[in-house]
Amino acid sequence: MAIPRFTGNANPYGGGDPYADYRTAEFPFTQYANLAARELGAGVVAANDEFFAQRENLLVAEAAHFDPEHFGHKGKVMDGWETRRRRGVGPDQPWPTAEDHDWALVRLGAPGVIRGIVVDTAHFRGNMPQAVSIEATHWDGALAPTPEELQGDDVKWTTIVPRTPVGGHAANGFEVSVEQRFTHLRVNQHPDGGIARLRVYGEVLPDPKWLATLGTFDVVALENGGAVQDASNRFYSPPTNTINPGRSRKMDDGWETARRRDRGNDWIRYQLVAESEIRAVEIDTAYLKGNSAGWASLSVRTGEEGEWQEFLPRTRLQPDTNHRFVLDTPAVGTHVRIDIFPDGGFSRLRLFGSLTETGAAALTARHQELGG
């Protein structure tokens, strides 16, 4: 499947809804988690220039805003990362060279395998970069690196997005096929300009030594390598919210389905970090008051073709409440399914346990294979 390319400038803003002429498409990799989410601990640790707009805006969760009347002492205030215009060396060579570019260093919130990247230039219509390129590295030190250490000569950077033209006021999508675990990115814009948002979609690959040291942990949590495989309905909010860090902060920070008008029920299917032994469960319906699920059940299986075995029978849920269950018998498997009845939603699912010997061995092997 070809990824759409949005090259060229967008038209100047003509009033009304600024997103009316925004260019985007359905990208095949957005099913994965955003490894550069602030909720996971991602950050923009350095940039060579942020004269017009701060680098931290790149990772803001909300879509970029635009106020045509908002100007500051340095010029137009933009919701993104924007550098000053580059110039050449003198009147005979006033243009930047082909090698001139601006850069920002991004720490991923969760190390992992990157499947795709969106460089969003929303509202940057004539002031976006001509092209972008993105490099990635795996930092293997025990301590978090400083910006200076990341720029050292001994750091190996792998190009995951080659220098490619981008369009203004558009979601520019790039599929990534490098099978390697990465911790940091270097985002380059050629030669200068502005980027509103950066999204880095991929699979979390945690450190097996860290999980082994923890002993008991949440085996479905996104930050520990859990993932949503599928869901029956995503109408109001994405199911991945249910395995995000921390408690929900508002209603749309959980998962809520459309209202059912049949005799069915809604569900989410998860992949655990690896084969695990589950000993306790939390189902939180925080902020879902008139629209929480009425009942829920949990099932587990091993492998994609295994038989589902129920380990938490259909249980009544209360609105805006955290429910805790200690299992009499541990549930063992690689996948878990939650069924809610008949519809509605919940904010978080926590499955506390530990890896089995088989699961720990599989995770360690994959970690080593991908450069961890």
Side-chain angles (χ1 to χ4, degrees):
M1 176 180 176
I3 300 296
R5 297 287 182 221
F6 302 102
T7 55
N9 288 4
N11 291 325
Y13 175 65
D17 178 7
Y19 275 104
D21 60 343
Y22 177 71
R23 296 172 289 174
T24 187
E26 293 293 328
F27 301 118
F29 46 75
T30 55
Q31 62 178 303
Y32 296 101
N34 178 19
L35 304 182
R38 285 291 299 170
E39 305 94 288
L40 288 175
V44 187
V45 298
N48 72 304
D49 187 346
E50 47 187 330
F51 186 86
F52 287 113
Q54 295 176 326
R55 64 182 191 259
E56 287 86 356
N57 290 331
L58 284 172
L59 305 188
V60 172
E62 295 77 21
H65 300 285
F66 181 71
D67 181 351
E69 304 299 326
H70 193 187
F71 287 83
H73 294 293
K74 294 182 178 180
K76 181 74 185 73
V77 176
M78 297 293 289
D79 185 7
W81 168 49
E82 186 181 5
T83 66
R84 73 195 78 196
R85 298 183 188 225
R86 280 184 171 270
R87 296 292 185 249
V89 295
D92 295 331
Q93 292 293 330
W95 308 279
T97 70
E99 292 73 33
D100 286 343
H101 67 278
D102 292 319
W103 53 264
L105 297 177
V106 178
R107 179 190 64 243
L108 298 180
V113 182
I114 299 169
R115 299 302 183 194
I117 293 177
V118 172
V119 176
D120 189 346
T121 58
H123 315 303
F124 290 93
R125 295 170 178 268
N127 52 347
M128 75 291 182
Q130 182 183 38
V132 299
S133 63
I134 301 176
E135 302 159 279
T137 191
H138 169 77
W139 182 265
D140 199 25
L143 298 177
T146 65
E148 292 74 23
E149 288 173 327
L150 283 172
Q151 297 174 76
D153 294 336
D154 58 337
V155 177
K156 178 185 175 183
W157 290 93
T158 300
T159 298
I160 60 174
V161 175
R163 183 168 175 167
T164 307
V166 294
H169 196 45
N172 300 273
F174 304 92
E175 201 159 23
V176 177
S177 58
V178 180
E179 289 291 323
Q180 189 175 335
R181 182 182 191 262
F182 293 118
T183 60
H184 294 78
L185 300 184
R186 184 161 58 193
V187 180
N188 305 305
Q189 49 178 341
H190 307 268
D192 53 37
I195 299 170
R197 297 289 187 266
L198 177 74
R199 303 293 185 244
V200 183
Y201 297 99
E203 302 173 59
V204 176
L205 184 57
D207 184 347
K209 292 182 180 178
W210 174 255
L211 297 184
T213 301
L214 292 180
T216 295
F217 60 93
D218 183 359
V219 299
V220 77
L222 180 60
E223 60 190 318
N224 293 332
V228 169
Q229 280 195 316
D230 201 1
S232 61
N233 189 280
R234 303 164 186 259
F235 191 86
Y236 285 112
S237 44
T240 301
N241 284 350
T242 62
I243 55 175
N244 274 344
R247 295 201 70 192
S248 175
R249 296 166 295 174
K250 50 194 175 77
M251 191 174 73
D252 67 350
D253 193 18
W255 175 58
E256 183 187 356
T257 71
R259 299 192 186 207
R260 276 191 171 266
R261 303 306 186 196
D262 58 21
R263 306 293 290 181
N265 73 281
D266 288 314
W267 51 268
I268 304 175
R269 186 173 73 244
Y270 302 93
Q271 180 173 308
L272 308 183
V273 56
E275 185 181 79
S276 304
E277 181 181 272
I278 303 165
R279 296 185 291 272
V281 172
E282 282 188 5
I283 303 174
D284 194 354
T285 59
Y287 294 100
L288 292 155
K289 298 182 178 182
N291 48 1
S292 68
W295 293 262
S297 65
L298 288 168
S299 302
V300 66
R301 75 179 182 190
T302 299
E304 295 288 351
E305 305 300 327
E307 293 291 328
W308 289 108
Q309 302 291 327
E310 189 176 75
F311 66 92
L312 183 71
R314 194 177 304 185
T315 302
R316 187 76 170 92
L317 300 180
Q318 297 297 322
D320 196 27
T321 301
N322 193 23
H323 309 76
R324 291 179 171 176
F325 309 92
V326 176
L327 304 181
D328 294 330
T329 303
V332 178
T334 58
H335 297 73
V336 164
R337 171 179 166 134
I338 185 168
D339 285 270
I340 62 171
F341 302 89
D343 56 17
F346 61 97
S347 60
R348 295 290 188 269
L349 174 68
R350 305 299 187 207
L351 304 176
F352 295 104
S354 54
L355 299 181
T356 64
E357 289 187 11
T358 299
L363 181 62
T364 298
R366 185 162 188 254
H367 189 262
Q368 293 173 345
E369 177 188 357
L370 297 177

